[in-house]
Structure formats: structure tokens, C-alpha cells
Amino acid sequence: MTSDQFWQARLSRRDFTRLVGVTAIGASLPSCGPRDSVGPDGMPADGPYDVAMLDTIMVPMRDGVRLATDVHIPVRDGAPLPGPWPVILERTPYGRNRPSRSERSVAEPDEAKSRAEVARIFAERGYVVVYQDVRGRYDSEGLYRKYLDDAPDGYDTCAWILDQPWCNGRIGTKGLSYAAHTQGALASAGAPGVAAMFLDSGGFSNSYQGGIRQGGAFELKQATWAYRNALVSPEVTADPEREARLQAVDIFRWFREMPWSPGRSPVALAPDYEEYLFEQWTKGDFDDYWKQPGIYAEGFHDEWPDAPMVHMSSWFDPYPRTAADNYVGLRARKRGPVRLILGPWTHGDRSLTWAGDVDFGPEATLDGQLARDYWELRVRWFDHWLRGIDNGVDREPAVRYFVMGGGSGRKNAAGRLDHGGRWRSADDWPLPNAVETPYYLDAGGSLSPTEPDIDETRLTYLYDPADPVPSVGGTITSGAPIMVGGAFDQREREDFFGSTEPFRPLAERADVLVFQTEPLDSDVEVTGPLVARLWISSDGPDTDFTAKLIDVYPATADYPEGFAMNLTDGIIRCRYRDSWESPSLMEPGTVYEVTIEAFPTSNLFRAGHRIRLDVSSSNYPHFDLNFNTGEPEGRATRSRVATNTVWMDRTRPSHVVLPIVT
């Protein structure tokens, strides 16, 4: 963007006066912010400011495309206060002026605040709050290319903000999910003025390994997201006939009729959305496409601002690895404090004590541990780093994480398992006192620290892409109406896609290998990333292997068959066993070593419980199906049943590495 374009987008004092509906703002702006006295809680001593909104400012980007932007600014007695102020920025694809499902409180967990209400929380304290529709969404111009334009657009938006009379040169960024991705994107582009950040459940450390793809497989939440958001895209809402046809699509039927192809998919009626979906799906190799600043923060950590930042996610979210990897990479490079928060929630649901069919107790929300509520957590962060208020956030622990487990194991009044848990803090991540301990798989189904001492042993099963293992919870978001994240008893159920009567436990399926410890003699805490190393073979040129960590409850009166609670899982597409950049197909019958990297977790396995690892070749519809043919990613035309084998002997000691906290 040229300086002339910036100047044309800049609000003049006359425009500012007209937009907020007052007659005068003064002849000149002061060089520093207002000097109202501030109370100990950071609020103006004379009470909160009123708030005015500058609506639908069209901010030009460097290529001339204009993005719809709302600015919420403090006023007093009907007159705008000239500031300048620190600025809070959020860039979103979900409508800058629409309710945000993530803005819920512990007191009102079912009521989402509008973005204007959230803006008021900040503006009444002395911030300007800027919300912007990303390119091609709602009122913004341009073609929507998911994630790929957010780095330059975020940079240009920050530069525009710095040129406004109400900005004091310090920008804080916030937002959940996609609005965390946009933060990671602008930071990777080296956006100017960024002085504090709060990334909640996003920021793509490496979208190839979490958020779009994982272990070489494609996350099908991208397909369900594309379908639901195409319904509100400008190209569809402008055409009532096309909108009606898209609403009539039977998304369940499409997920039963894989594989898809361009022009033959549930989003074929929204070509822009179908195009980016298949672009992500078919680019299986880790090439330059995946190393762009909007989706590969770890390649641009040196470009990030040296600003205080929080990286926050949760165990049943697609982004705990993203948060942890960004924390590790940025803490090593930046002087500004970098914080990590990992809770027990599903995506953005940190006001709830439960995830799926499991409850983690009253400590599970932010209430009483990190802050009285999520809004306070962010307000305190920005108050200190943008306004200089001494509220203690600079003296808090670097890492705060929730250890699941320790509850009664009973069924609570809401019908959920009382798994319990508690918050803990640490100086770093991974935890310095976590010991990587291998637990070995045995053909008899045992899982133990004892290395195998046998010449040759293996287990074999058939993997049929027409009958995949259903996804029963897990690290899933944006999957509606097909799939849902969270912790559940690992058994088929009518409301889990792909389940069939009589809705048996997944452990009873012939294509699921189950390995578990004896009932534990004492409690065992596992906290950190999980890695499974397997020796495998197949009769096909390519296939998948999956691994899932489970806390197995013994039978009780409330749960006569016990409760197998999923904790974390991972997958490997075997063509990528040696290289993400240069895949190679397998020779049928040849034994290969593969590594499955699951997302981090934290759980206390109580005495009497079992630690269990399930191994299979599908987790659908969380991940796309491997049709066992070796055809290019996202372009399969046929399917075959694979005979897959896991080896577990002294020369091929398949095992899982558990980070056990001593």
C-alpha cells in the first residue's frame, strides 16, 4: 500500500467528529494519551467511558481491495476523547459486527456476547477496539482464500491503525481460532506496532501438522467448515436460488460417499470454497505451499514482534500442539514474556467444566484459578502491557496447565463422568520433570515398560475404507453436523457418524488392536506430547496407522462395563514415513518403522485404572480415508482392503513413549 492510499483511508479529525455525532473535537490532538486518574482495577477513576462506533470504514489493502472495519472508541459526556489510545485489534471471518460464540462467561455459559459488547469491555477502560472482516467475507471486498491473505492484510491493517489520530502507537491483538490464526499471520509478516498478543486456540505453528493436515492425513473439519461457511459467503447469499440448493445438500450422504472430486462435492455450488478445499486436500507434500506466513508460524518466529504474548489452547482442541510449539519457539527468541495456558476444554469452551461426556470439576473453568473470567484474563494482560498498570501478570508462571483426573469416577447429576482435575503451573514446557518412558506393545494385548524378548511376533488385521473406525470425540472442532470433539466412552453410538447397531465398544472391532497395562498399583501422571513408534507392514502401497491413548476405568455401579476415556490421538500416512517433503510408497510385505506424533495431553491415571493404547488404520471422519491404493492425495478413484500388520519383538519393539511426571 502506498502512503497516498493510507492517507485516503485515514480518518480526518472532521470525519471523526462527523461520525461520532459531535460538533467539535478541538483544534489539535495531544501527543500523549488522556491523563484521567485510574483506579486499582484499571478503570478510570471517574467511571467507565461511554463508547461510540465508527461503522464500516473501508480500509484499503496494498492491492486496492478494501476491508470492512468497525472502530469502537471512548467518549465522555457525548464528546469523543481524542486520545491517543492503545488499540485492540481482532480480524475475523465470522462477521465483525455479529455475536461471537466464544465470548461466554462462567456465569452465563450459554449466552454469547456480541463483538460490540466485548468491545465495550475494553473501550470503557480506555482502549480503541478495531474489528475487521477478513478479505472476501461479509462486507469486505476481494476473493476469499482461506488463511492465505491474512499475513499481508494484517500487516496493512496494523499500518493503517498506526496512522490514525486515535492510536498511540501500541496495538494489542486478540481472538479465538481463526482470529488467532490472523494474529499469527500478521505477526509472521512482521506487522508494525504490535505490543501485546493473546492467541486463543490458533496461530498455526505448522498447519501441515495440526489444523489442516496431521501426520500426512487431511483433517475433514476443513470440509465441514467450508460447507457451513459457504452458506453465508457473499457469492452464495447474493443468489437465492443457489443458496437454497446449497442448504438442501445432504452433507451426511456426501460423507458416506467418499472419495469426492472437484465439481462432485458438497461445496461444488460455491466454487471459491471448493477450490481452496481441494487445494489444501491435494497438496500432500510439505512444499512451499505449506511454508507461507499465514499457516506456518514456526518458519517466521524471527519476524514476530518482541511483544508479551499468551498462547492458549486445550486438550480436546485442534491446537494444543500449535500453542505449545509457538511457546517453545518464541520463548527461545523473544525478550517479551511468552506464556502458555492449556486447559481441559473443547475448542473455545473455557467457560464450561465438561468436554463431551466427561466433567472435570469446578476448577476446570478459568474461574478462581487464572482469573475470575476469560474477559478478565485478557483485560489484565492488556492493561499491564499496553497501559502500564501493575496488576501482577508479569510475575505469574510461564506455564499453566490442567491435569485431568482424580475425580470420584461417579456419574454426576448431568449424566457425565466425574473425572476431576486441577490446575498446575510450571517454569517451562515440556515439563522438566517429565520422564519419557517407553511402554511396549505385546501380542497378548499387554502394555508395559518391559522390552520384548521374543524373536518374532505380530498382530494382523484388515482395514476396509468402506467400514472405517468411527471418530468418537477427540481433538475436533468445526465438525458439525458430522462430528464433535471431546472426551467420551470409546464405543459406537447412534449420534457418532459411522456407528452401526448394536453400537459396540471400539475395542471389540476386529480392526482395532488394544494394548493395556494391568490395573495400576498407584497413580501415574502423564503430561506432555505423546509419540508412538511402530514397526508395521502392509500388502498395499500405502495405508494409515492411528494411535489413541485411553484412560480405562474399572467397572462400577454407574458404569457396569467401565468407561474408556479418550485422551489424545494421532495418525501417520505411511507414504510420509521417511519424509514429509518426498513421500515414497511401500513395498508390500516390507517392514517399516513409523512414528505417530499425537497432540500433548495431561492426565492422572488413578490406581486401579489401566493405561491403554489403541492402534488401527482409520479415525473417520476426523481424518480423510486412505484408500490403500497409493493414488495422489485427494484424487483417489478406487479403493481396496489392506491387510495391515504391527510387529512387536526384540528387533521391532513397537512402543509408545509416555511423558511420566515424577
Side-chain angles (χ1 to χ4, degrees):
M1 177 183 289
T2 67
S3 59
D4 287 344
Q5 288 174 311
F6 270 128
W7 185 256
Q8 291 166 9
R10 188 179 190 271
L11 281 176
S12 69
R13 294 179 181 84
R14 181 177 300 171
D15 291 334
F16 180 74
T17 300
R18 173 179 55 79
L19 283 167
V20 298
V22 296
T23 58
I25 189 173
S28 63
L29 292 172
S31 60
C32 58
R35 288 294 179 259
D36 290 2
S37 59
V38 176
D41 60 354
M43 291 293 289
D46 293 339
Y49 298 114
D50 295 326
V51 183
M53 182 174 70
L54 315 181
D55 185 19
T56 318
I57 303 166
M58 300 303 292
V59 177
M61 300 292 101
R62 64 189 66 182
D63 60 356
V65 169
R66 301 180 306 162
L67 305 187
T69 306
D70 289 348
V71 178
H72 304 258
I73 197 158
V75 299
R76 180 79 81 187
D77 299 325
L81 298 171
W85 311 92
V87 176
I88 304 292
L89 169 65
E90 180 173 318
R91 304 186 65 252
T92 177
Y94 300 121
R96 72 195 186 286
N97 51 11
R98 296 169 186 266
S100 172
R101 79 148 187 99
S102 67
E103 298 289 359
R104 304 171 190 267
S105 68
V106 175
E108 298 176 314
D110 298 323
E111 295 186 21
K113 286 187 180 295
S114 69
R115 287 184 170 83
E117 290 175 302
V118 177
R120 175 171 289 276
I121 292 173
F122 289 96
E124 67 183 10
R125 305 175 69 84
Y127 295 93
V128 169
V129 181
V130 177
Y131 282 104
Q132 184 179 77
D133 293 333
V134 301
R135 178 180 296 242
R137 293 287 291 174
Y138 290 92
D139 296 323
S140 284
E141 299 171 349
L143 174 69
Y144 179 65
R145 300 188 310 154
K146 193 175 186 185
Y147 308 130
L148 299 185
D149 292 306
D150 290 319
D153 287 353
Y155 182 104
D156 292 353
T157 299
C158 287
W160 175 81
I161 289 171
L162 291 178
D163 200 40
Q164 301 307 305
W166 34 257
C167 174
N168 72 353
R170 299 180 64 76
I171 301 172
T173 63
K174 72 175 184 68
L176 165 78
S177 191
Y178 203 120
H181 300 327
T182 59
Q183 292 182 70
L186 65 85
S188 296
V194 177
M197 306 180 73
F198 201 111
L199 297 91
D200 184 358
S201 306
F204 283 140
S205 62
N206 181 347
S207 65
Y208 185 84
Q209 293 295 358
I212 301 180
R213 306 190 75 92
Q214 187 179 336
F218 183 61
E219 294 192 52
L220 287 175
K221 71 181 180 69
Q222 293 294 342
T224 48
W225 192 98
Y227 171 72
R228 289 188 295 108
N229 283 275
L231 285 168
V232 295
S233 65
E235 63 179 306
V236 169
T237 56
D239 184 343
E241 181 180 351
R242 180 163 31 161
E243 183 177 18
R245 290 169 58 199
L246 190 59
Q247 288 176 337
V249 166
D250 184 349
I251 190 72
F252 289 92
R253 179 180 68 83
W254 279 106
F255 270 79
R256 290 191 295 266
E257 295 182 1
M258 291 283 181
W260 304 343
S261 59
R264 185 187 171 277
S265 78
V267 287
L269 290 166
D272 290 348
Y273 286 69
E274 187 184 58
E275 180 180 356
Y276 88 70
L277 174 64
F278 277 95
E279 184 176 60
Q280 294 175 347
W281 202 339
T282 56
K283 289 186 176 296
D285 303 354
F286 185 52
D287 56 17
D288 287 344
Y289 175 86
W290 297 105
K291 299 172 185 178
Q292 300 182 67
I295 55 177
Y296 185 51
E298 66 184 34
F300 297 88
H301 279 164
D302 288 336
E303 305 300 322
W304 280 53
D306 195 358
M309 61 187 75
V310 173
H311 297 271
M312 178 173 168
S313 187
S314 43
W315 305 132
F316 298 100
D317 180 68
Y319 303 110
R321 178 173 176 175
T322 276
D325 286 355
N326 277 334
Y327 166 83
V328 171
L330 289 161
R331 194 181 192 208
R333 289 172 169 84
K334 305 301 178 183
R335 295 187 308 274
V338 182
R339 301 286 188 255
L340 177 65
I341 300 172
L342 296 166
W345 320 293
T346 49
H347 188 66
D349 289 325
R350 70 318 252 183
S351 60
L352 303 177
T353 65
W354 50 269
D357 281 347
V358 177
D359 198 294
F360 303 105
E363 285 194 28
T365 67
L366 296 174
D367 187 14
Q369 287 297 315
L370 305 176
R372 285 194 296 273
D373 221 324
Y374 179 55
W375 297 314
E376 181 184 334
L377 187 67
R378 292 173 296 176
V379 164
R380 292 179 69 243
W381 185 256
F382 291 126
D383 271 358
H384 181 78
W385 299 112
L386 297 183
R387 299 173 66 204
I389 295 173
D390 185 6
N391 54 22
V393 299
D394 56 320
R395 299 183 292 276
E396 292 176 349
V399 176
R400 289 176 286 188
Y401 65 100
F402 190 89
V403 184
M404 301 178 286
S408 69
R410 300 291 304 274
K411 183 178 292 187
N412 66 15
R416 296 186 176 91
L417 173 73
D418 175 25
H419 189 61
R422 65 183 62 188
W423 285 99
R424 289 187 181 162
S425 60
D427 295 329
D428 206 358
W429 185 272
L431 300 184
N433 62 333
V435 178
E436 294 188 351
T437 307
Y439 274 62
Y440 295 92
L441 283 55
D442 178 83
S446 70
L447 184 69
S448 78
T450 303
E451 294 188 52
D453 187 22
I454 191 170
D455 287 335
E456 181 175 307
T457 185
R458 60 189 175 182
L459 290 174
T460 297
Y461 60 92
L462 299 180
Y463 158 49
D464 183 357
D467 182 26
V469 178
S471 301
V472 179
T475 55
I476 297 172
T477 189
S478 303
I482 300 296
M483 51 185 158
V484 64
F488 295 90
D489 190 9
Q490 293 298 288
R491 61 175 59 237
E492 297 185 13
R493 207 168 72 183
E494 186 176 10
D495 53 342
F496 288 123
F497 183 88
S499 298
T500 57
E501 295 187 81
F503 304 125
R504 53 190 168 157
L506 297 184
E508 294 182 7
R509 291 181 58 109
D511 57 354
V512 176
L513 305 182
V514 175
F515 306 93
Q516 59 185 352
T517 65
E518 293 297 317
L520 298 173
D521 293 329
S522 58
D523 296 351
V524 175
E525 180 188 329
V526 172
T527 297
L530 188 86
V531 175
R533 295 190 173 93
L534 308 178
W535 277 258
I536 58 87
S537 59
S538 177
D539 67 348
D542 191 33
T543 194
D544 290 349
F545 282 87
T546 64
K548 183 186 297 180
L549 184 67
I550 295 171
D551 184 345
V552 181
Y553 274 77
T556 65
D558 286 338
Y559 298 99
E561 298 182 61
F563 193 102
M565 174 188 163
N566 59 300
L567 296 169
T568 186
D569 57 70
I571 190 169
I572 183 65
R573 187 145 291 170
C574 289
R575 68 179 71 184
Y576 301 106
R577 65 194 177 277
D578 297 321
S579 171
W580 304 116
E581 292 85 357
S582 303
S584 59
L585 298 180
M586 298 189 295
E587 291 291 334
T590 300
V591 179
Y592 300 96
E593 181 183 357
V594 299
T595 299
I596 302 174
E597 298 182 47
F599 286 171
T601 190
S602 181
N603 187 69
L604 182 69
F605 294 83
R606 295 298 302 271
H609 291 210
R610 298 174 187 259
I611 302 172
R612 184 172 116 190
L613 187 77
D614 285 2
V615 175
S616 189
S617 290
S618 54
N619 183 352
Y620 184 77
H622 186 175
F623 301 108
D624 68 332
L625 296 168
N626 193 322
F627 293 98
N628 306 316
T629 62
E631 293 174 279
E633 297 281 12
R635 298 185 179 94
T637 61
R638 63 188 188 278
S639 178
R640 65 182 296 276
V641 176
T643 301
N644 290 343
T645 300
V646 178
W647 300 77
M648 51 202 83
D649 48 53
R650 64 164 59 95
T651 60
R652 293 163 291 199
S654 293
H655 61 275
V656 60
V657 180
L658 300 179
I660 295 179
V661 176
T662 57

